Amino acid sequence: MNVHDSEKMVGVLKKDGYSQTDNLREADLIIFNTCSIRQKAEQKFYSELGRIKAIKNERPGLRIAVAGCIAQQEGKALLKKVPHVDFVFGPQNIHMLKDIDIHVSTNVFLEENPAIAEHDLPVNREDDLRAWVTIMYGCNNFCSYCVVPYTRGREKSRPSQNIYGEVNGLAKRGYKEICLLGQNVNSYKSNISFSNLLRQLDRIGGIERIRFVTSHPKDLSPELIMAVKESVKVCEHIHLPLQSGSDSILHGMNRGYTYNDYIGKVFTLREKVPDISITSDIIAGFPGETEVDYLDTIRALKEIEFDGIFAFKYSQRPFTKAAGMQQQVEEHVKSERLDEILKLQDEITIRKNRALENTVQEILVEGLSETDKTKSSGRTRSNKIVNITEPNIARGTVVDVMITKARKHSLEGRPVGL
Ligand code: 5AD
Ligand code: SF4
């Protein structure tokens, strides 16, 4: 989401006559697009911001802006706390970049912006093969650990005709894959449902693959599962954050489902869409998480066998309900649990990948492998990276590949019939 927001910031500024530079010393304006989902992300930002101070001292004309979720969260206080910051704007205020004079601006732009979904911003895309497409903004779920509803505001869906128009334009420009973006894509609500949006986009010629992130388990409807099954271009992969395998923790997190509800949906997904890859997010050490709760998560991971997970230690976030809960779990306990979770999942991931050995997979080739220039690299429909023993396959080509070896983070294979 932040990568795509940055593409919009560059898009707006370029339209205004600016150009982008990788050289900090050359820049008139430096924008930090920040994330505050966990404290670690915040710490990273503050240390980067500290490093930039010397450049600002050398060149007082340089403007420094802070964008994104930390900007929204800290607001005016950030200007006081860090005097070398000139202005701050939140994720709902990217559009204001087109109106301000950066050379004089010292201000905060943090208003709720319900019109965000109606006014499309120019996008300067970093990739010419795969494109992010926002379909909805904000989040109404208020999971008790999560800062996003406070920084990105209320849910708002883009009209489907705007999305259709954007994807059509991308197809004409040669894009092969689109990834629909939203904090909670399956609660997309406009003139049509999310399932029908997928079915509509599926008919756009030129696009080979359609993905979407992130889905919320409580909103994963039978219609959506059927749309994934029946749409040719919609890939057999879903990222479906479980967060915990314990019902009492799920309740405390305000997730709106039980472990049984979740496993039922996994069962249906696998029944209707054979070979679907399912990935997930897990939080270790949510307040009140006992050894028994943690073991419920371990049991869940063994039972479900995700293709991969992102796992994190619980992090206390401002404004959130969980931050004020008694019984915060000790840091070393969180670390131990996280380590065990990751270790277990590594074994499962490699096992899942091995099951692909000697199967033929459809690969969208992205170019030469970064680590081995004698190979091409691409992804399966299930979003796994495959290195192919053939360097001369054009970027954007779809090829069938026999998987010869599985590793933890990638697969190897050779083209079939080339
Ligand atoms: N602490 C730890 N992990 C968090 N996430 C969101 N908020 C927190 C938090 N306060 C994780 C969730 C979510 C992913 C994007 O980040 O697992 O699915
Ligand atoms: Fe955060 Fe929950 Fe919304 Fe995801 S669904 S952004 S975890 S509040």
Side-chain angles (χ1 to χ4, degrees):
M1 188 71 77
N2 264 24
V3 167
H4 189 44
D5 279 353
S6 295
E7 291 182 330
K8 291 178 186 167
M9 290 174 202
V10 178
V12 172
L13 287 168
K14 276 203 171 160
K15 215 168 177 188
D16 233 13
Y18 288 88
S19 61
Q20 204 179 357
T21 174
D22 288 333
N23 183 353
L24 288 180
R25 303 204 171 259
E26 215 176 77
D28 298 311
L29 166 68
I30 296 174
I31 302 176
F32 288 87
N33 188 13
T34 63
C35 171
S36 65
I37 194 91
R38 288 171 292 275
Q39 207 184 347
K40 216 166 149 185
E42 242 183 84
Q43 280 161 355
K44 242 160 95 179
F45 156 65
Y46 282 110
S47 67
E48 285 294 318
L49 191 59
R51 291 197 322 140
I52 232 76
K53 194 172 170 189
I55 304 182
K56 172 95 174 181
N57 287 344
E58 277 169 31
R59 270 196 306 135
L62 167 68
R63 302 276 109 183
I64 295 179
V66 181
C69 288
I70 301 180
Q72 189 70 35
Q73 184 184 298
E74 299 297 314
K76 259 201 183 96
L78 196 60
L79 292 176
K80 289 216 186 76
K81 200 151 90 181
V82 192
H84 62 286
V85 169
D86 295 294
F87 61 101
V88 297
F89 60 101
Q92 301 168 70
N93 285 269
I94 296 174
H95 60 284
M96 68 81 211
L97 278 174
K98 65 175 182 280
D99 301 321
I100 63 157
D101 180 348
I102 61 143
H103 296 288
V104 295
S105 228
T106 303
N107 222 325
V108 291
F109 305 90
L110 304 165
E111 299 82 51
E112 273 263 346
N113 176 17
I116 194 167
E118 266 94 62
H119 303 297
D120 295 346
L121 296 174
V123 181
N124 185 77
R125 298 190 180 274
E126 287 177 4
D127 198 301
D128 59 2
L129 186 66
R130 299 185 297 164
W132 305 106
V133 176
T134 308
I135 64 161
M136 48 101 60
Y137 296 83
C139 182
N140 287 350
N141 285 324
F142 291 93
C143 300
S144 64
Y145 51 80
C146 186
V147 74
V148 169
Y150 304 93
T151 57
R152 289 191 177 265
R154 295 293 62 72
E155 239 168 64
K156 201 95 182 82
S157 295
R158 259 179 97 191
S160 70
Q161 58 275 22
N162 295 19
I163 300 169
Y164 189 87
E166 182 170 348
V167 175
N168 220 356
L170 289 164
K172 290 211 172 82
R173 284 161 55 204
Y175 282 86
K176 299 285 180 224
E177 179 173 314
I178 56 157
C179 184
L180 307 175
L181 277 180
Q183 244 67 44
N184 187 8
V185 281
N186 47 358
S187 76
Y188 176 83
K189 241 184 257 97
S190 81
N191 46 331
I192 61 173
S193 67
F194 181 54
S195 319
N196 284 337
L197 178 68
L198 286 179
R199 288 177 191 274
Q200 238 185 43
L201 298 178
D202 197 50
R203 293 196 285 268
I204 297 180
I207 298 292
E208 300 278 354
R209 291 178 170 185
I210 301 173
R211 304 184 184 282
F212 53 90
V213 280
T214 289
S215 307
H216 195 300
K218 78 173 164 50
D219 299 319
L220 182 66
S221 63
E223 294 80 54
L224 176 56
I225 297 176
M226 288 318 282
V228 174
K229 178 184 165 74
E230 290 165 6
S231 307
V232 183
K233 296 171 184 176
V234 176
C235 289
E236 296 74 26
H237 171 220
I238 189 162
H239 186 66
L240 197 63
L242 168 66
Q243 314 295 5
S244 166
S246 150
D247 282 346
S248 68
I249 295 299
L250 286 172
H251 181 74
M253 288 176 163
N254 192 30
R255 288 292 286 174
Y257 55 85
T258 62
Y259 178 63
N260 252 336
D261 297 335
Y262 186 94
I263 193 102
K265 299 201 177 187
V266 167
F267 186 80
T268 314
L269 275 166
R270 287 182 170 154
E271 181 195 34
K272 303 283 183 209
V273 190
D275 297 331
I276 191 167
S277 147
I278 307 178
T279 53
S280 204
D281 292 342
I282 298 289
I283 297 177
F286 181 81
E289 185 185 81
T290 62
E291 190 67 17
V292 173
D293 296 318
Y294 154 71
L295 289 174
D296 278 345
T297 299
I298 291 288
R299 194 208 46 197
L301 293 175
K302 287 182 179 162
E303 185 169 39
I304 298 168
E305 297 199 297
F306 290 115
D307 288 79
I309 61 165
F310 296 108
F312 320 95
K313 285 193 272 184
Y314 168 72
S315 168
Q316 279 175 289
R317 302 286 70 210
F319 319 120
T320 61
K321 193 169 164 210
M325 287 179 182
Q326 304 298 310
Q327 297 181 287
Q328 296 286 330
V329 175
E330 282 184 83
E331 210 49 40
H332 75 95
V333 177
K334 286 190 222 173
S335 297
E336 284 158 19
R337 289 179 184 171
L338 178 68
D339 288 349
E340 286 302 313
I341 286 168
L342 291 172
K343 207 168 96 200
L344 168 64
Q345 183 58 43
D346 275 355
E347 291 163 17
I348 297 171
T349 302
I350 183 96
R351 200 158 64 232
K352 295 285 266 191
N353 285 352
R354 280 210 187 106
L356 296 178
E357 286 181 352
N358 301 316
T359 67
V360 174
Q361 300 289 320
E362 180 205 283
I363 310 300
L364 174 63
V365 175
E366 288 163 33
L368 282 181
S369 155
E370 270 176 24
T371 48
D372 182 349
K373 301 293 176 209
T374 67
K375 291 182 176 147
S376 308
S377 176
R379 281 168 200 265
T380 61
R381 290 177 64 90
S382 54
N383 214 22
K384 296 185 187 193
I385 296 171
V386 181
N387 292 312
I388 312 164
T389 52
E390 167 60 64
N392 299 318
I393 313 176
R395 180 171 161 83
T397 314
V398 176
V399 283
D400 282 340
V401 168
M402 169 68 77
I403 304 301
T404 49
K405 181 143 187 61
R407 303 182 194 285
K408 195 166 73 188
H409 298 298
S410 67
L411 306 166
E412 277 177 30
R414 62 179 151 74
V416 177
L418 258 197

